[in-house]
Amino acid sequence: MAEVSIDLNMVRVTNDAFVEKAEACAPKLLETVVRPVSIVDIAKTENVYPDVNKKDDIENLSSYHLAKGDKICLDFGDHQVGYVTMKLNSVGSPQDAPAFFRLKFAEIAKEITEDSKDYDGWISRGWIQEEFIHVDVLPAELKLPRRYAFRYMEIEAIDTSLKWQLVVEDVSCTSVSAVRIEDVEPVKSDDEMIRRLDRVSLRTLQNCMQSVFEDGPKRDRRLWLGDLRLQALANYETFHNMDLVKRCLYLFAAQTKDNGQVSACLFTEPKFIVDDTFLLDYSMFFGATLYDYYEASGDKKTLKDLSACAYRQMEIAEEWFDEKNLLKNGEGFWGFIDWTDGLNKQSAMQGVYIYCARKAQKIAEALGDTEKAAYFAKEAKEKTESARKYLLDPENGLFVSGEEKQLNYASQVWMILAGAVSAEEGAEILDKVIALNPEKGMVSPYMNHHFVEALLKCGKKEQAMDYMKYYWGGMLSHGADTFWELYNPENPAESPYGGSIVNSYCHAWSCTPTYLLRKYFI
Amino acid sequence: MAEVSIDLNMVRVTNDAFVEKAEACAPKLLETVVRPVSIVDIAKTENVYPDVNKKDDIENLSSYHLAKGDKICLDFGDHQVGYVTMKLNSVGSPQDAPAFFRLKFAEIAKEITEDSKDYDGWISRGWIQEEFIHVDVLPAELKLPRRYAFRYMEIEAIDTSLKWQLVVEDVSCTSVSAVRIEDVEPVKSDDEMIRRLDRVSLRTLQNCMQSVFEDGPKRDRRLWLGDLRLQALANYETFHNMDLVKRCLYLFAAQTKDNGQVSACLFTEPKFIVDDTFLLDYSMFFGATLYDYYEASGDKKTLKDLSACAYRQMEIAEEWFDEKNLLKNGEGFWGFIDWTDGLNKQSAMQGVYIYCARKAQKIAEALGDTEKAAYFAKEAKEKTESARKYLLDPENGLFVSGEEKQLNYASQVWMILAGAVSAEEGAEILDKVIALNPEKGMVSPYMNHHFVEALLKCGKKEQAMDYMKYYWGGMLSHGADTFWELYNPENPAESPYGGSIVNSYCHAWSCTPTYLLRKYFI
C-alpha cells in the first residue's frame, strides 16, 4: 500500500533566525578517496542473498576487454557513500561508435542480481542506482555527477562495436561524511559478534551523517525526525558531533505548518523546505530529541530557543484525545510506529504521547518552568491512567489497540517505554507477547530497537543482547556492512515498497546497536 | 551481414607537415540557438512513416506536468545538429525522489515510434540517440554533454513520485556547423519540388560540415573518403568552403598504411587517427577528390603537395589487375560501390579505376608532368579496352561482373562515368538496364547519385530530373528535412545494419541534388 501524504494547500511558516542558526552548524564534509579491492563474481543462488566470490585481483582490472554484453563487478570492500570517477579507454581498432554501458551500484550483493525492469512498486524507480551512459570519445575520465551508496559496482558494456572493446583502467570513489570512523574507539569485547555489531552500526551512522542526518544515503537521502532521534542517541555515544544534531533541530523548528506542527521530514536542496508529510509520533519526538540533545550537550541556549516548538507539538497532539483521554485513531498515513502492514497504531501512539510528555516535563524542569512541568506531569499521569483502564486487556494483561482490539508488539513496547507499567509488569507483558507471537509483529529495525529498549527497561539485559544478536546479527550473517532499513528474519525479501530493489541497506534507524551496547552493556 | 574491416597489425605512417596543414584549416564552428516550435503527437500508423500532428503551442510547454509514464514530444521545426540544454522543475509537493526520465532524439518521426529494445543489428546500439537520466535536485539546468542530430525530441518521465510531477520549462539547442545556410543563394525555380530538393540538400550538407565533412551527424560522425568526394562537389556549388576540403584532403594524406594506401575513413577525436578500413574505390577517389578541389579552387600548391599520394593510390590499385587487365575480385569488405546485398563489385571497380586514372592524368597535366600524364592515359585506355573486350556481354550489350557474370546497375553506371562507352552507347545501356530491372539494384543515395550522373553524361537530362524527383523527392514525400543515408523506394524500412533505428537520416552522400541542379540545370 502506498503510504504518502500530500497537502498542497499546506501553509509554511519560516523562522529565519532559526534557519540562520541551522546553516551556521552546517558541516564541512570530509573526503576520502577509496578504490575497489577486488573483482568479484556475484552469483544468484537459491538463497535470497547471493554468493560473492573473488574472481581476480584488482590490479588486473585493465586486462578485461569488455565487448558487447560483457560485465565486470568491482568490490570496494566496505559500504561507501560518494562520488565515482572512472578512467575508460578502448582497445582494438579506433573507437568507431559511442561506448554505451550500464553501471549498477549496490549496497548489498543482492541488488546486483536484481533487474530494475522487474520493479513495479509504489515508490519511485528513480531510486534504483543504475545509470545508462554513452561516451563518444575514449579515453575519457568520467566524473559521475551523482552521489551513490554502494559496496559493489557493476559495469556492463551494453555495446561497443565489432572493432573495439571497452577497458576500465581505474575507478575511484571520493567517499564523504561529516565524521571519521577512526575518531571513535571501538567497543572492546572478546565476543566477535559484539565487535561487529558495533563496527557495522558505526559505519551505518557515519555514512548517514552528511549535510544533515540522512535516513539513508541511497534512499530517501533526507532528514526524518524519527530517524534523527535514534541517530542522535547513537551519535552521543560515538561521534559526539553536537553541531549536526543542533543543526537538524533548528531546521525542523525553522519551518512548520501554520499551526506550528513540525514536519516528519525536510529537504535542504535546492533550498531548505519542509515536506508536507506529518506523522503524529514524529512531531511529538521533536521534544524528546531536543531533551536528549540537552542532556548530551548541556546546551541550555538551544533548549530554551526550541522549547516552545517542543511544547507546541504536545498541544497539537493533545487535540487528538477524546473525553476518555484516549488518543483517537487517525486515517491514512497519520503516524509511523512501524511498517507492519495493517498495524493499528492507536495504543502505541498513546504510549508515544506519554513518553514525550515526560520528556517535555523534563525540558520545563531544566528551564525552571514549574507550571509547564506540572502540566506535562499531569498529562502523562492522566493518559497513563486511561491507557491502563481502557487499553489493558484484563484477561491477558496485554495492551490492545483500536476498535478491533488488535494485539500487537508496538502497543506493549511503547507503553513500557512510556512508563505506563512497572518494570515487573513490563517484563511479564514482554514474556506474554513473545509467547503469543501476534500476527502484527515488527518489521523495521526502528521498531525492533524500541523492543530492545523495552527489554532493557524491564531488566531483561541478557534477552536484549540475545535479541540484538538474533536480529542485527541476522543482517551480519547475510553480509551486511551497514545495517538495513528493513529486515524481517522470517521473510528476508520483504519490502514495504513493492520490491526490495528500492530498499535502503544503510539506514539510520538501524544504527542503534552501538548505542545500546555502549549505554547498557559497557 | 556485418561489413567491417579489422587490421590490428596495420602500421600507420604519419606525415607531420600534412597534419599541421590540416589543423591550420580547422574551422571555427558557428553556433545558433534554436528552440522548439511546437508540441507534437507522433502516431504510429500502418504506413512506415508515422503521422506528425501538432498537439499544442510551444508556449504551453510548462503547463505539462509529467507524472510517471507521461511523455511529451517537441518539434524543432528543422533538422538540428547541436547541444541541448533543458530547464527542468517540479510541481506539487517537494521533490522526494530523483527525477528519472528518458530522452529520445529523432532525425525523422519514425525513430520516435521505434523501440531501442527491438534493435538487434550488427552495428552498435550505442548510436541510438536515447538517454536515461536521473536528476537529484530540481529545479535544474541540464546541459547535455553529447551532440545530437534531430528534429524531434521526446521527453518521457519514467518516474517522478506520487508527490510531484516533472515540468520542462525550456529546451534549447545550440546548433553547430562550419557554414551558414543563409550564405547560399537558393536555386530559383517555379517548381516547388526543385526548390525543396535544393533546400534539403543544402541543409544536409550544412549539418554534415563540422570539424571535418562528416558522413552523418547522427552516425558515423566521421570523415569517409567516398562521402567527402560528393560533399566537396556540392560544397563548390554552394558554401564554397575551400579550407574544409583542403583540411580533409591533407588529413587523408597525413596518415596512411605503410604501403601508402589512404584509409577509407578517419577520426579526429580524441586525436587524429586513420581507421584500419581500406576500400579500394575510396582509396582511388583520393586523386579524383584532389583534382576536383584543384579545379574549384585553383590551389596548385595543395595539388602538388598531395599528388604523390594520389598517384600512389593508383599504383596500389594497379596491383589488383590480372594479365587480361581485369581487376580481380576482392574478398570481404574490399570495396564499397553500394550497400546492395550480394553485389558483385568487380566491373564497377574497374570502372572506378578508369575514372580515377583519367583524374590522375589531369593532375599530372596540371603539374606539367607529361610522363605521368601519358602513363595514366595509357592505363585508362588499356583498362577500357579490356573492359569492353571481356566485360561487355555481346548479346545484350551490358556489362557483367564477376565469375557469375552478374548483371547489375553499378557496372553500367561506373563504366559510363569512366568514359568506357560513348554517350550514345551509354544511353542505350541505361535504357536496357532500366528495362531489365536487374535484381541487383541500387540502395544508397550514393549509388543513385552516380546513376543520375550517368544519365546526365549520356544526355538524358529530362530523365535525370525525373529520377531525382522520384528518388530524392520520395524522401521529401516522407517528410525529409535532410536527405537520408539509405532510401529504397520499394522497401522504405530497409537497413543494411539489421534495424533502421540506427540509420542516419542526414547523410552526406545524399546531398547531391543541389550539386546536380546547379551544375547541370541552372
Side-chain angles (χ1 to χ4, degrees):
Chain A
M1 190 185 65
E3 295 271 31
V4 289
S5 304
I6 298 173
D7 179 5
L8 297 181
N9 298 318
M10 168 186 176
V11 176
R12 289 174 176 83
V13 178
T14 307
N15 182 322
D16 290 329
F18 285 2
V19 175
E20 245 173 67
K21 286 186 183 177
E23 295 307 348
C25 294
K28 186 170 160 20
L29 296 187
L30 308 168
E31 299 185 349
T32 317
V33 176
V34 183
R35 287 197 152 71
V37 295
S38 62
I39 299 166
V40 292
D41 257 337
I42 295 180
K44 224 172 176 164
T45 63
E46 282 179 10
N47 303 319
V48 171
Y49 299 98
D51 293 339
V52 180
N53 294 305
K54 180 170 171 179
K55 183 179 177 178
D56 207 340
D57 291 334
I58 195 65
E59 287 69 31
N60 297 327
L61 179 59
S62 63
S63 71
Y64 288 78
H65 298 175
L66 306 180
K68 184 175 181 173
D70 290 345
K71 45 178 111 164
I72 191 167
C73 187
L74 308 180
D75 177 3
F76 278 72
D78 197 357
H79 188 276
Q80 309 296 334
V81 176
Y83 300 87
V84 170
T85 298
M86 305 173 75
K87 281 194 186 161
L88 302 170
N89 210 339
S90 66
V91 287
S93 294
Q95 186 203 358
D96 67 342
F100 183 33
F101 51 92
R102 183 179 71 179
L103 303 180
K104 275 171 109 167
F105 296 92
E107 297 190 294
I108 65 169
K110 181 164 171 262
E111 293 163 276
I112 294 288
T113 66
E114 291 172 321
D115 191 335
S116 58
K117 282 194 215 81
D118 300 334
Y119 176 68
D120 191 30
W122 61 270
I123 66 170
S124 176
R125 66 187 305 113
W127 288 117
I128 300 168
Q129 299 185 117
E130 183 177 49
E131 307 290 353
F132 296 85
I133 298 174
H134 293 90
V135 174
D136 290 316
V137 180
L138 295 174
E141 187 181 74
L142 188 65
K143 283 178 180 292
L144 300 173
R146 306 179 69 214
R147 200 193 70 188
Y148 301 99
F150 68 104
R151 171 172 170 169
Y152 303 103
M153 174 181 174
E154 184 190 84
I155 303 148
E156 178 181 352
I158 298 175
D159 215 335
T160 56
S161 93
L162 296 169
K163 296 189 56 151
W164 59 276
Q165 297 83 44
L166 180 67
V167 174
V168 181
E169 293 184 332
D170 189 25
V171 182
S172 64
C173 174
T174 301
S175 296
V176 290
S177 170
V179 292
R180 302 183 345 136
I181 205 163
E182 296 78 9
D183 293 342
V184 182
E185 189 76 24
V187 162
K188 285 190 179 62
S189 170
D190 295 336
D191 186 338
E192 198 208 331
M193 170 72 93
I194 288 178
R195 295 198 306 270
R196 283 178 67 203
L197 286 172
D198 178 59
R199 158 75 204 193
V200 171
S201 297
L202 284 174
R203 188 64 169 177
T204 307
L205 180 57
Q206 180 195 20
N207 282 355
C208 292
M209 289 174 75
Q210 303 292 337
S211 161
V212 292
F213 282 93
E214 294 183 14
D215 59 336
K218 171 184 169 186
R219 205 214 85 241
D220 305 324
R221 306 173 59 158
R222 63 180 185 266
L223 179 58
W224 287 85
L225 228 171
D227 304 62
L228 170 63
R229 183 175 143 264
L230 300 190
Q231 283 169 300
L233 289 172
N235 169 54
Y236 303 142
E237 302 290 333
T238 55
F239 296 107
H240 293 284
N241 188 328
M242 295 302 163
D243 266 3
L244 196 61
V245 184
K246 183 176 167 186
R247 167 170 161 77
C248 294
L249 286 167
Y250 271 105
L251 284 174
F252 273 114
Q255 195 175 64
T256 63
K257 189 145 79 165
D258 52 355
N259 72 348
Q261 186 172 4
V262 300
S263 174
C265 67
L266 59 82
F267 304 84
T268 53
E269 283 189 295
K271 53 179 189 172
F272 164 58
I273 188 170
V274 303
D275 195 34
D276 54 358
T277 297
F278 293 88
L279 300 170
L280 191 59
D281 44 349
Y282 278 28
S283 295
M284 290 191 279
F285 282 137
F286 179 81
T289 312
L290 176 62
Y291 186 74
D292 293 343
Y293 166 74
Y294 168 70
E295 263 202 317
S297 68
D299 177 0
K300 197 173 267 187
K301 196 169 175 314
T302 297
L303 184 74
K304 202 173 169 202
D305 243 11
L306 302 181
S307 57
C309 180
Y311 299 154
R312 180 65 193 132
Q313 306 316 306
M314 300 311 292
E315 287 169 22
I316 289 165
E318 225 277 311
E319 293 166 19
W320 281 73
F321 284 87
D322 67 13
E323 63 290 343
K324 287 181 177 165
N325 269 328
L326 291 179
L327 195 142
K328 290 174 276 193
N329 216 351
E331 279 174 14
F333 194 40
W334 68 289
F336 179 69
I337 306 293
D338 193 11
W339 275 126
T340 306
D341 215 26
L343 182 70
N344 185 293
K345 301 175 179 177
Q346 199 175 353
S347 294
M349 198 70 84
Q350 179 128 353
V352 170
Y353 180 86
I354 299 164
Y355 177 91
C356 292
R358 293 194 196 281
K359 293 279 187 177
Q361 179 192 337
K362 286 191 174 174
I363 293 173
E365 286 167 1
L367 294 172
D369 188 340
T370 49
E371 199 178 317
K372 271 265 185 259
Y375 166 76
F376 286 118
K378 184 169 159 280
E379 276 295 306
K381 187 166 173 283
E382 283 177 10
K383 269 57 180 185
T384 299
E385 284 168 3
S386 278
R388 295 190 63 105
K389 186 170 172 188
Y390 300 111
L391 303 178
L392 202 53
D393 185 326
E395 285 195 19
N396 62 11
L398 293 172
F399 289 96
V400 293
S401 187
E403 285 186 8
E404 73 265 41
K405 297 195 184 302
Q406 184 184 86
L407 185 65
N408 60 43
Y409 268 91
S411 310
Q412 326 308 324
V413 164
W414 276 109
M415 284 301 175
I416 291 166
L417 294 178
V421 292
S422 68
E424 295 72 31
E425 287 174 306
E428 247 179 84
I429 285 172
L430 288 169
D431 287 343
K432 275 188 204 157
V433 74
I434 291 164
L436 278 169
N437 192 20
E439 185 212 336
K440 300 300 168 192
M442 301 179 288
V443 170
S444 66
Y446 174 82
M447 186 65 230
N448 279 277
H449 161 83
H450 293 118
F451 174 66
V452 175
E453 279 231 293
L455 287 172
L456 289 164
K457 201 174 155 74
C458 300
K460 293 172 161 292
K461 207 169 158 182
E462 203 176 322
Q463 204 173 334
M465 176 60 88
D466 287 347
Y467 193 81
M468 271 200 284
K469 288 182 176 178
Y470 160 72
Y471 186 75
W472 281 268
M475 294 187 236
L476 293 179
S477 74
H478 296 306
D481 301 298
T482 46
F483 287 124
W484 307 346
E485 176 190 20
L486 297 148
Y487 178 60
N488 183 345
E490 289 162 28
N491 179 14
E494 187 158 301
S495 168
Y497 308 123
S500 63
I501 196 171
V502 295
N503 286 8
S504 158
Y505 293 97
C506 171
H507 217 75
W509 69 20
S510 201
C511 77
T512 56
T514 188
Y515 159 74
L516 297 167
L517 286 170
R518 287 163 195 260
K519 177 155 175 150
Y520 296 101
F521 292 92
I522 57 170
Chain B
M1 191 188 60
E3 296 269 31
V4 288
S5 304
I6 298 174
D7 180 5
L8 297 181
N9 298 320
M10 169 187 174
V11 176
R12 290 172 174 84
V13 178
T14 307
N15 181 323
D16 291 328
F18 284 3
V19 175
E20 245 173 67
K21 284 185 184 178
E23 294 309 345
C25 292
K28 187 172 160 19
L29 295 188
L30 307 168
E31 298 187 350
T32 317
V33 176
V34 182
R35 286 198 152 69
V37 296
S38 63
I39 299 166
V40 293
D41 258 337
I42 295 179
K44 223 170 175 164
T45 63
E46 284 180 9
N47 303 320
V48 171
Y49 298 99
D51 292 339
V52 180
N53 295 303
K54 181 171 171 177
K55 182 179 178 178
D56 208 340
D57 291 334
I58 195 66
E59 288 69 29
N60 297 327
L61 179 59
S62 62
S63 71
Y64 288 79
H65 297 175
L66 307 179
K68 184 176 177 169
D70 290 346
K71 45 179 113 166
I72 191 168
C73 188
L74 308 179
D75 177 3
F76 278 71
D78 197 357
H79 187 276
Q80 310 295 334
V81 176
Y83 299 86
V84 170
T85 298
M86 305 174 74
K87 280 192 185 164
L88 301 170
N89 211 339
S90 66
V91 288
S93 295
Q95 186 204 356
D96 68 340
F100 184 33
F101 51 92
R102 184 180 67 181
L103 303 178
K104 275 171 107 168
F105 295 91
E107 297 190 294
I108 67 169
K110 179 164 173 264
E111 292 162 275
I112 294 288
T113 65
E114 290 170 321
D115 191 334
S116 58
K117 282 194 216 83
D118 301 334
Y119 175 69
D120 191 29
W122 61 269
I123 67 170
S124 177
R125 65 187 305 113
W127 288 117
I128 300 168
Q129 298 185 116
E130 183 177 48
E131 307 289 354
F132 295 86
I133 298 174
H134 293 90
V135 175
D136 291 314
V137 180
L138 296 173
E141 186 180 77
L142 188 64
K143 283 180 181 290
L144 300 174
R146 306 179 68 213
R147 200 192 71 187
Y148 301 100
F150 69 104
R151 172 174 171 168
Y152 303 102
M153 174 182 172
E154 184 189 83
I155 303 148
E156 177 180 353
I158 298 176
D159 215 335
T160 58
S161 94
L162 296 167
K163 296 190 57 151
W164 60 275
Q165 298 82 45
L166 180 67
V167 174
V168 182
E169 293 184 333
D170 189 26
V171 182
S172 63
C173 174
T174 301
S175 295
V176 289
S177 170
V179 292
R180 303 182 346 134
I181 205 164
E182 296 78 10
D183 292 342
V184 180
E185 190 74 25
V187 161
K188 285 193 177 63
S189 170
D190 294 336
D191 186 338
E192 198 208 332
M193 170 71 95
I194 288 176
R195 295 197 307 272
R196 286 178 66 205
L197 286 172
D198 178 59
R199 158 78 203 188
V200 170
S201 296
L202 284 175
R203 188 64 168 175
T204 307
L205 181 56
Q206 180 195 21
N207 282 355
C208 292
M209 289 173 76
Q210 304 291 338
S211 160
V212 293
F213 283 92
E214 294 183 11
D215 58 336
K218 170 184 170 187
R219 208 217 81 242
D220 304 324
R221 306 173 62 160
R222 65 178 184 267
L223 178 59
W224 286 86
L225 226 171
D227 303 64
L228 170 63
R229 184 176 141 259
L230 299 191
Q231 284 169 300
L233 289 172
N235 169 55
Y236 303 141
E237 302 289 332
T238 56
F239 296 107
H240 293 285
N241 188 328
M242 295 303 162
D243 266 3
L244 197 61
V245 184
K246 182 176 167 187
R247 168 169 161 76
C248 294
L249 286 168
Y250 271 104
L251 284 175
F252 273 115
Q255 196 175 64
T256 63
K257 188 146 79 168
D258 52 354
N259 72 348
Q261 187 172 4
V262 301
S263 174
C265 66
L266 59 82
F267 305 85
T268 53
E269 283 188 295
K271 55 177 191 170
F272 163 59
I273 188 170
V274 304
D275 196 32
D276 52 358
T277 297
F278 292 87
L279 300 170
L280 190 60
D281 45 350
Y282 279 28
S283 296
M284 288 191 280
F285 282 137
F286 179 80
T289 311
L290 176 62
Y291 186 74
D292 293 343
Y293 166 75
Y294 168 68
E295 262 200 321
S297 68
D299 176 2
K300 195 172 271 188
K301 197 170 174 310
T302 297
L303 184 74
K304 199 171 171 206
D305 244 11
L306 302 181
S307 55
C309 180
Y311 299 152
R312 180 66 192 131
Q313 307 316 306
M314 299 311 291
E315 286 168 21
I316 290 166
E318 226 276 309
E319 293 166 18
W320 282 73
F321 284 88
D322 65 13
E323 65 288 347
K324 287 181 178 167
N325 269 327
L326 291 180
L327 196 141
K328 288 174 277 192
N329 216 351
E331 277 174 14
F333 194 39
W334 68 289
F336 180 68
I337 304 292
D338 193 11
W339 275 126
T340 305
D341 215 26
L343 181 70
N344 185 295
K345 300 173 179 177
Q346 196 174 358
S347 292
M349 198 69 83
Q350 178 130 354
V352 170
Y353 180 86
I354 299 164
Y355 177 91
C356 291
R358 292 194 197 282
K359 293 278 186 176
Q361 179 191 340
K362 287 191 174 174
I363 294 172
E365 285 166 1
L367 294 173
D369 187 341
T370 48
E371 200 179 318
K372 273 262 185 262
Y375 166 75
F376 285 118
K378 182 170 160 278
E379 276 296 306
K381 186 164 174 286
E382 282 177 10
K383 267 63 181 184
T384 299
E385 283 168 3
S386 277
R388 296 190 63 108
K389 184 169 173 188
Y390 298 112
L391 304 177
L392 203 54
D393 185 327
E395 284 194 19
N396 60 13
L398 293 173
F399 287 97
V400 292
S401 188
E403 282 187 8
E404 74 265 41
K405 297 195 184 302
Q406 185 186 85
L407 185 65
N408 60 44
Y409 268 92
S411 310
Q412 325 309 321
V413 164
W414 275 109
M415 284 300 176
I416 290 167
L417 294 178
V421 292
S422 68
E424 295 71 32
E425 285 173 308
E428 246 180 85
I429 285 172
L430 289 169
D431 287 344
K432 274 187 205 157
V433 76
I434 292 164
L436 278 172
N437 191 21
E439 186 213 334
K440 300 300 168 190
M442 300 180 287
V443 170
S444 66
Y446 174 82
M447 185 65 230
N448 279 276
H449 161 83
H450 292 117
F451 174 67
V452 174
E453 279 229 294
L455 287 171
L456 289 164
K457 200 173 156 77
C458 300
K460 295 171 158 292
K461 206 168 161 181
E462 202 176 321
Q463 202 172 335
M465 175 61 87
D466 287 348
Y467 192 81
M468 270 200 285
K469 288 181 175 179
Y470 159 72
Y471 186 75
W472 282 267
M475 293 186 238
L476 293 179
S477 74
H478 296 307
D481 301 298
T482 45
F483 287 125
W484 307 346
E485 176 189 20
L486 297 148
Y487 178 59
N488 182 346
E490 289 162 28
N491 179 14
E494 186 157 302
S495 168
Y497 308 124
S500 63
I501 196 169
V502 295
N503 286 9
S504 158
Y505 293 97
C506 173
H507 217 77
W509 68 20
S510 200
C511 77
T512 55
T514 188
Y515 159 73
L516 297 167
L517 287 170
R518 286 163 196 260
K519 174 150 179 156
Y520 296 101
F521 292 93
I522 56 172

